[in-house]
């Protein structure tokens, strides 16, 4: 099987890394840009690639500890388009309950240790995807993405993060691809990443990966959120480093009105506080009731200058996070963004399994 020249050239341009994709920051310098180029080429050649089946004989297992529509479907369809087999695993629904603690005496519920489970899966498949949200334990532990790290340590095959406590790198790839599609040359354009209200305390993974996506494109990224909803210091530092390396900038403000001025892209997402009073269930409920409405994204927010395009990773709570008029209007790009999950992940699969 020979790939079309344009696909082979784009694949050859992606630098190799150790194989795991847990934060999206693993590829060496230029790697994310090369993955985006490959994603664009795969999108333009997907009919031919489906005929050639470059990943025939390869198997990818997606293990979903938490619900998903887009990630599950886009990874499954990306595998199908490249000829790979996708296995969908749902712990808690027909799989043994897993133990993650080292040296645990397993005399309670857990029937299998991740050491064996991951290693066995690694004997069956060529790569493993994992979705596991934070369990609202200590943030110092959650931020290390312990479930992902445990599988990565023991699987012996590349592990892809399908959303964890700290990062959603496949979403970040799609976000960057969508902003490139919308803006042509994103460098120097303004991306506003805004906190949004939500009744639940959601992970901050999409926010981290979103600001990294904008910064890696050399955009002027402005993160805005109410006081008390600060992102993790390491995530902020990574965004600043990426912006610096790629000719962009990264700033944080609690002033929503100031942030929205002159935006080219407005990306909304809710996340729960990990420290301070809003980090408790009661504190979050109080914050939600006082901020609901004030941080809702409306069409007027997008039309403060040249109209900004609206992004959200989905699923989204209508008229809590964003008004109907935005989602149903011409400025929304959320469906293109969701479609780009497919092309970004197809590129990632080729880079991991198709050399
Ligand atoms: N954006 C995203 O990850 O969607 P799902 O939760 O449906 O997979």
């Amino acid at each position: 099987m020979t790939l079309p020249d344009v696909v082979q050239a784009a694949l050859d341009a992606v630098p190799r890394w150790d194989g795991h994709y847990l934060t999206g920051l693993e590829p060496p310098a230029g790697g994310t840009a090369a993955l985006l180029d490959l994603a664009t080429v795969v999108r333009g050649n997907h009919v031919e690639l489906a005929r050639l089946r470059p990943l025939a004989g390869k198997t990818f297992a997606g293990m979903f500890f938490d619900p998903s529509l887009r990630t599950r479907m886009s990874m499954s369809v990306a595998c199908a388009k490249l000829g790979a087999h996708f296995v969908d695993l749902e712990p808690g629904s027909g799989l043994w309950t897993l133990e993650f603690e080292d040296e645990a005496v397993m005399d309670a519920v857990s029937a299998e240790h991740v050491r064996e489970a991951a290693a066995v899966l690694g004997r069956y498949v060529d790569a493993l995807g994992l979705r596991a949200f934070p369990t609202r334990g200590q943030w110092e532990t959650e931020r290390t993405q312990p479930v992902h790290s445990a599988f990565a340590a023991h699987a012996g095959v590349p592990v892809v993060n399908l959303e964890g406590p700290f990062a959603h790198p496949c979403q970040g790839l799609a976000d960057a691809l969508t902003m490139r599609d919308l803006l042509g040359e994103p460098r120097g354009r303004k991306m506003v990443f805004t906190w949004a209200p939500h009744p639940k305390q959601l992970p901050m993974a999409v926010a981290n990966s979103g600001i990294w996506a904008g910064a890696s494109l050399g955009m002027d990224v402005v993160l805005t959120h109410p006081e008390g909803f600060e992102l993790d210091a390491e995530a902020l530092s990574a965004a600043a480093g990426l912006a610096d390396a790629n000719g962009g900038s990264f700033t944080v403000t609690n002033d929503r009105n100031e942030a929205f001025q002159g935006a080219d892209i407005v990306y909304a997402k809710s996340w729960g506080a990990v420290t301070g009073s809003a980090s408790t269930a009661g504190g979050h409920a109080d914050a939600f009731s006082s901020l609901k409405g004030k941080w809702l994204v409306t069409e007027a927010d997008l039309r403060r200058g040249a109209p900004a395009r609206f992004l959200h990773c989905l699923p989204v709570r209508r008229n809590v996070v964003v008004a109907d008029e935005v989602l149903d209007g011409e400025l929304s790009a959320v469906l293109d963004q969701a479609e780009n999950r497919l092309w970004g992940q197809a590129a990632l699969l080729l880079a991991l399994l198709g050399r």
Side-chain angles (χ1 to χ4, degrees):
M1 189 279 308
T2 308
L3 285 171
D5 288 349
V6 65
V7 178
Q8 188 64 58
L11 178 56
D12 290 344
V14 179
R16 292 170 192 266
W17 66 96
D18 81 352
H20 298 309
Y21 197 65
L22 300 179
T23 62
L25 302 174
E26 292 86 354
T32 298
L35 276 173
L36 296 175
D37 291 341
L38 178 59
T40 304
V41 169
V42 167
R43 183 170 58 192
N45 292 270
H46 71 93
V47 174
E48 178 67 355
L49 286 170
R51 190 184 67 76
L52 292 169
R53 307 181 78 241
L55 298 186
K58 304 283 186 183
T59 301
F60 181 96
M63 202 168 193
F64 290 87
F65 289 84
D66 290 288
S68 165
L69 186 152
R70 279 143 290 271
T71 307
R72 171 179 265 127
M73 279 303 297
S74 55
M75 200 48 115
S76 169
V77 174
C79 285
K81 284 190 178 291
L82 297 173
H85 180 59
F86 177 82
V87 181
D88 191 341
L89 296 170
E90 240 181 274
S93 161
L95 293 183
W96 301 112
T97 304
L98 293 178
E99 175 62 58
F100 288 89
E101 289 295 324
D102 279 338
E103 300 177 21
V105 178
M106 293 169 53
D107 57 0
V109 176
S110 301
E112 177 157 33
H113 202 282
V114 66
R115 285 173 174 264
E116 287 75 52
V120 168
L121 285 170
R123 299 287 180 102
Y124 299 147
V125 304
D126 299 283
L128 187 58
L130 284 170
R131 166 164 291 197
F133 293 163
T135 53
R136 302 220 65 83
Q138 288 297 314
W139 177 242
E140 282 315 304
T141 305
E142 297 284 7
R143 66 192 298 291
T144 65
Q145 308 196 120
V147 172
H148 296 75
S149 302
F151 273 91
H154 301 296
V157 294
V159 173
V160 175
N161 181 359
L162 303 179
E163 190 171 353
F166 196 66
H168 192 354
C170 294
Q171 182 67 54
L173 263 187
D175 299 342
L177 186 58
T178 307
M179 290 191 284
R180 280 203 343 185
D181 291 343
L182 291 172
L183 301 175
E185 173 51 270
R187 197 176 308 275
R189 306 290 290 275
K190 182 172 179 181
M191 173 199 196
V192 175
F193 200 106
T194 177
W195 180 89
H198 197 287
K200 291 187 171 173
Q201 293 172 274
L202 299 183
M204 60 168 59
V206 169
N208 290 344
S209 293
I211 59 174
W212 297 341
S216 71
L217 294 172
M219 298 181 75
D220 293 325
V221 180
V222 178
L223 171 68
T224 185
H225 57 73
E227 277 183 47
F229 286 86
E230 289 72 27
L231 293 182
D232 185 274
E234 188 184 321
L236 299 177
S237 164
L242 285 167
D244 201 37
N246 291 287
S249 64
F250 176 65
T251 53
V252 185
T253 176
N254 299 135
D255 186 337
R256 181 178 187 275
N257 288 323
E258 179 193 301
F260 276 64
Q261 300 301 328
D264 295 295
I265 299 286
V266 170
Y267 192 145
K269 178 72 177 81
S270 184
W271 64 89
V274 291
T275 57
S277 60
S279 65
T280 64
H284 184 84
D286 290 345
F288 176 59
S289 73
S290 76
L291 297 168
K292 191 177 161 188
K294 294 184 191 140
W295 285 76
L296 171 79
V297 178
T298 65
E299 180 144 352
D301 287 326
L302 304 180
R303 293 194 184 275
R304 294 179 187 210
R309 302 300 302 273
F310 179 76
L311 299 182
H312 188 285
C313 61
L314 306 181
V316 68
R317 299 250 181 163
R318 280 175 172 253
N319 303 310
V320 174
V321 170
V322 57
D324 280 344
E325 64 193 15
V326 173
L327 283 174
D328 299 331
E330 64 185 11
L331 298 180
S332 174
V334 298
L335 299 183
D336 294 329
Q337 184 184 6
E339 181 192 323
N340 279 336
R341 296 293 307 274
L342 169 57
W343 307 121
Q345 287 153 207
L348 181 65
L349 289 170
L350 271 181
L352 292 178
L353 305 177
R355 309 274 194 174

